[in-house]
Amino acid sequence: MHSLVSIGQELCLRGHNVTVASFGKDGESKTRKYSNGCALRYVSLGPNPLSKKDLAEAISNKLATTNNTFLQAKNAAKYIFSRVYGKLDGPVEKLLSQGVVSPNFAILTLPLGGLPSIMNRYGIDFAINLPTSLMPPAADQVAAWVPPPFVSETVEQLSYLSRSAVVVFNVVLHLGRHFGSLLGFIPDQAGELNIRHIRGKLWLINSIPGLDYPQPLPPLVQYTGPMINTDAMDGVERMPPEVDSFLGSVPPDKPVVYVSYGTVAVLSEDLVRHISAQFTGEDFYVVWALPKSQQNGLPKQLPRNVFVHHWIPTPRILANPKVRVFVSHCGGNSVSESIALGVPIVGYPQFGDQLPNCARLASSGAGIAAKPQSWLRKDHVLKVLQDPTYEQRAKALGRLFKLYGGVNRAADLIEADVRGDLEMLITPPDVSFSSWFFLNGYDLLVFLAVLCSLLPWFVSSFIRHCLAALWTAKRSRAAKAHSA
């Protein structure tokens, strides 16, 4: 939601009327927090179908109990995504039908549910904002060799069989999307899969090639970098005074390590105790963002080099020059903010897109990644602190982030899309199913498949004909010899 509201605020500052629609008080508070530069109108879609408590229980009881990424994906689909997927459809359509909002353009984010179908039905053009890396099955334009989020290895690390499985999975998914949409097998409520409703739309990817897999993409898939302006931090939430005070007390020659597993992951008391024990000594100082509900595992007396607070604005603390390493779960926002500010990461992914995010981060050289759900190790932190190449790579990626424009570029693209300027960027295969089918050469593949299926018949017929001719000639010669 942070990315959408950031784009909305920039459009608001440019004089556009912007309305944010989300669930309940939580959505409203986030809208207010991320748009303090320009007031956005907020419309509630009702209570959140998945409360923070239910989300935390699903993660700790269903996802964090296994290291099997496929089982994690299955449990996430069953206990989390099934609770929220498509829940926006009814409330949004009600708002549109009653005229509460009458937008000329919409910016959607995942999960899409039936929103693309609803927008098309009401004649509202839209773009899709992807706040994390471009990977299947979220987008159809992704290359066939890019691993889906439940694969924790990079392409270079995959075995031959794993790479083959990834390619087969993506090709089947790609063909199934198009043919399923044509034949009506994919319902309108599955917006990510129904190509009919998202064909020819602008996609904003809040990452960059290099952190993402560099790959050939159509013109309407545009990288923007993260939705954070590192040159203007005034709009970022202020640091709690006690955190500022602790940072000010850190000796100039000592690095600070920032630790946060985000707002979704739930750390057990045993894990909290283990992490606390890793920070003994004064090799570095630690600022740890840990929710109050998870602080039971902390020792009664923290080491003097460790400070724990229940809420710390991540961009604000990462911008502090004393912070040299970020211990993170590799959530999409965390990775973007850290790299944008040139801070390398020690990654401990838990589930979902955190796995490929960490893998790609390590592959780029801007940090290291442990195995999924590994426990923090002090030597990992010291490795990144003591090797300057990690910080150098993080800063290099941060400079690349700026080249892609961030929120300003996203707003520019939205304005161009609203004016209709981007229509000429629609590639011929995106015009229709028949264009996609013929221009991708699938008609040639069908022809070759038919030819290959008939070839054995032609070959066997030819061989039978030749053998029959030889047999006839042989019998003829034998008959002549006998008559002679």
Side-chain angles (χ1 to χ4, degrees):
M1 188 170 178
H2 165 261
S3 298
L4 286 182
V5 176
S6 298
I7 297 171
Q9 179 176 227
E10 178 61 27
L11 292 170
C12 178
L13 291 170
R14 298 184 183 192
H16 300 283
N17 294 319
V18 180
T19 298
V20 177
S22 187
F23 289 118
K25 295 293 184 182
D26 186 46
E28 184 176 13
S29 65
K30 289 182 178 179
T31 300
R32 299 287 175 260
K33 182 169 69 173
Y34 298 133
S35 62
N36 52 9
C38 186
L40 305 182
R41 180 191 179 196
Y42 179 77
V43 177
S44 175
L45 300 176
N48 197 323
L50 183 64
S51 67
K52 289 183 178 180
K53 179 182 178 182
D54 291 342
L55 178 61
E57 288 180 354
I59 291 171
S60 59
N61 297 332
K62 302 299 180 182
L63 272 67
T65 54
T66 176
N67 288 328
N68 187 309
T69 55
F70 292 96
L71 189 57
Q72 282 186 356
K74 177 184 175 183
N75 288 341
K78 182 177 180 180
Y79 297 103
I80 297 177
F81 296 124
S82 64
R83 297 278 299 278
V84 299
Y85 192 83
K87 302 303 182 183
L88 289 168
D89 300 357
V92 167
E93 183 153 24
K94 184 177 180 181
L95 291 179
L96 294 173
S97 64
Q98 294 179 349
V100 177
V101 291
S102 301
N104 304 109
F105 194 88
I107 309 173
L108 310 179
T109 191
L110 303 182
L112 296 175
L115 293 182
S117 171
I118 294 171
M119 295 299 144
N120 288 331
R121 195 158 60 247
Y122 281 86
I124 302 169
D125 196 10
F126 62 90
I128 299 168
N129 186 73
L130 189 63
T132 183
S133 300
L134 184 66
M135 65 184 80
D140 183 61
Q141 301 90 339
V142 69
W145 45 264
V146 176
F150 51 79
V151 177
S152 59
E153 296 88 2
T154 63
V155 169
E156 299 83 1
Q157 296 169 335
L158 293 175
S159 66
Y160 174 79
L161 288 178
S162 296
R163 280 187 287 116
S164 301
V166 165
V167 171
V168 170
F169 171 82
N170 287 334
V171 169
V172 170
L173 179 65
H174 179 72
L175 296 177
R177 271 181 162 136
H178 286 267
F179 284 100
S181 299
L182 174 70
L183 299 174
F185 294 154
I186 300 178
D188 291 342
Q189 291 74 21
E192 292 86 352
L193 299 178
N194 198 318
I195 296 298
R196 291 188 299 116
H197 298 304
I198 58 176
R199 181 181 283 119
K201 297 301 181 183
L202 172 66
W203 284 72
L204 303 175
I205 315 300
N206 304 160
S207 183
I208 63 167
L211 191 57
D212 241 7
Y213 286 107
Q215 55 185 298
L217 294 168
L220 285 178
V221 179
Q222 292 282 332
Y223 282 104
T224 64
M227 299 295 106
I228 175 175
N229 186 353
T230 58
D231 296 325
M233 298 295 289
D234 292 340
V236 178
E237 188 176 357
R238 294 290 173 183
M239 196 94 76
E242 51 269 44
V243 179
D244 267 334
S245 176
F246 177 79
L247 288 171
S249 69
V250 175
D253 61 332
K254 292 294 183 180
V256 173
V257 174
Y258 174 53
V259 182
S260 174
Y261 281 73
T263 57
V264 176
V266 179
L267 307 186
S268 66
E269 291 188 21
D270 288 341
L271 180 54
V272 171
R273 275 191 289 271
H274 168 82
I275 294 175
S276 303
Q278 295 298 302
F279 295 148
T280 55
E282 295 193 5
D283 302 284
F284 50 83
Y285 281 64
V286 176
V287 176
W288 187 1
L290 185 66
K292 289 182 179 179
S293 60
Q294 301 176 40
Q295 293 184 10
N296 293 333
L298 292 173
K300 292 182 179 180
Q301 184 65 41
L302 285 170
R304 61 182 297 271
N305 65 313
V306 178
F307 184 84
V308 176
H309 196 276
H310 67 276
W311 170 251
I312 299 172
T314 295
R316 177 68 66 180
I317 191 168
L318 291 176
N320 189 300
K322 291 184 177 180
V323 176
R324 300 276 306 283
V325 169
F326 181 18
V327 175
S328 171
H329 62 312
C330 290
N333 285 337
S334 297
V335 170
S336 295
E337 291 164 351
S338 189
I339 299 304
L341 291 160
V343 179
I345 290 177
V346 177
Y348 293 94
Q350 303 298 302
F351 56 86
D353 65 349
Q354 299 166 14
L355 279 66
N357 288 347
C358 266
R360 282 297 299 154
L361 177 84
S363 181
S364 71
I368 61 175
K371 293 182 179 180
Q373 297 184 9
S374 297
W375 285 21
L376 186 146
R377 286 170 46 183
K378 185 176 182 178
D379 61 306
H380 287 170
V381 178
L382 290 173
K383 178 180 179 181
V384 176
L385 276 174
Q386 293 168 359
D387 188 343
T389 58
Y390 291 109
E391 185 175 5
Q392 292 167 6
R393 292 293 289 180
K395 290 186 180 300
L397 282 172
R399 291 190 291 270
L400 285 177
F401 271 11
K402 291 183 179 181
L403 294 179
Y404 282 84
V407 68
N408 290 315
R409 176 167 170 75
D412 289 342
L413 288 165
I414 293 296
E415 288 182 324
D417 204 2
V418 171
R419 292 192 300 264
D421 298 348
L422 302 187
E423 288 183 8
M424 62 188 74
L425 299 184
I426 299 175
T427 58
D430 278 332
V431 172
S432 64
F433 174 82
S434 59
S435 298
W436 168 83
F437 184 79
F438 290 112
L439 294 178
N440 279 296
Y442 291 117
D443 56 331
L444 301 178
L445 291 177
V446 171
F447 172 76
L448 290 174
V450 172
L451 184 63
C452 289
S453 65
L454 293 178
L455 188 61
W457 181 82
F458 283 120
V459 171
S460 62
S461 297
F462 177 75
I463 292 174
R464 285 198 303 270
H465 177 77
C466 292
L467 290 175
L470 289 173
W471 177 252
T472 301
K474 182 178 179 181
R475 292 185 62 184
S476 176
R477 288 195 299 271
K480 288 180 180 179
H482 181 72
S483 59

